[in-house]
């Protein structure tokens, strides 16, 4: 096994075993609440975070409470990093096939 492959596999194993992984993307929405004296009426809109993902071919959105924001952001980042590492490992194996290397 080559050094780049060992490094990518190790990084992927650490990622999978240490924290959660969550497929999707985060979307921040800004809105007006409707209260006449609120700061949002003056343009300082309220921000809400949503996880956007597909499930069975349907696009879904889930509201993420402030208390969960940091952990959900980390899970989504870790998922995307895991995908990147899998693509790197796949690229190395494509190269092995191309060169007919064991």
């Amino acid at each position: 096994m080559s050094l780049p492959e060992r490094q990518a596999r190790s990084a992927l194993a650490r990622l999978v075993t240490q924290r959660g992984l969550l497929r999707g993307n985060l979307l921040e929405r800004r809105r007006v609440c409707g209260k006449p004296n609120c700061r949002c009426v003056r343009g300082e809109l309220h921000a809400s975070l949503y996880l956007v993902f597909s499930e069975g071919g349907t696009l879904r959105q889930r509201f993420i409470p402030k208390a969960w924001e940091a952990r959900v952001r980390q899970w989504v980042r870790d998922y995307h990093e895991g995908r990147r590492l899998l693509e790197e490992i796949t690229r190395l194996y494509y190269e092995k096939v191309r060169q007919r290397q064991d």
Side-chain angles (χ1 to χ4, degrees):
M1 192 179 306
S2 69
L3 178 62
E5 184 182 348
R6 277 196 314 273
Q7 289 172 333
R9 283 173 173 262
S10 293
L12 184 59
R14 279 191 308 273
L15 198 64
V16 170
T17 58
Q18 289 179 358
R19 291 188 292 250
L21 299 174
L22 187 58
R23 181 178 55 83
N25 291 300
L26 295 172
L27 172 69
E28 186 176 284
R29 290 193 181 148
R30 297 195 169 273
R31 61 183 172 69
V32 176
C33 70
K35 295 178 185 174
N37 295 325
C38 184
R39 62 182 168 88
C40 65
V41 175
R42 297 185 304 275
E44 297 177 44
L45 302 180
H46 300 284
S48 299
L49 187 66
Y50 289 84
L51 174 69
V52 181
F53 59 99
S54 65
E55 185 176 60
T58 303
L59 201 58
R60 306 270 187 210
Q61 297 182 31
R62 296 285 182 262
F63 170 74
I64 306 300
K66 286 277 187 209
W68 279 71
E69 185 175 326
R71 78 182 79 169
V72 170
R73 283 186 187 279
Q74 186 63 56
W75 293 342
V76 170
R77 260 193 311 272
D78 287 349
Y79 174 81
H80 287 287
E81 178 62 11
R83 291 265 324 244
R84 187 193 68 75
L85 289 167
L86 279 172
E87 287 299 321
E88 185 178 327
I89 293 167
T90 299
R91 185 183 49 76
L92 293 169
Y93 277 85
Y94 282 147
E95 188 59 26
K96 284 183 180 189
V97 170
R98 189 183 71 77
Q99 294 180 3
R100 309 291 193 263
Q101 186 183 42
D102 206 5

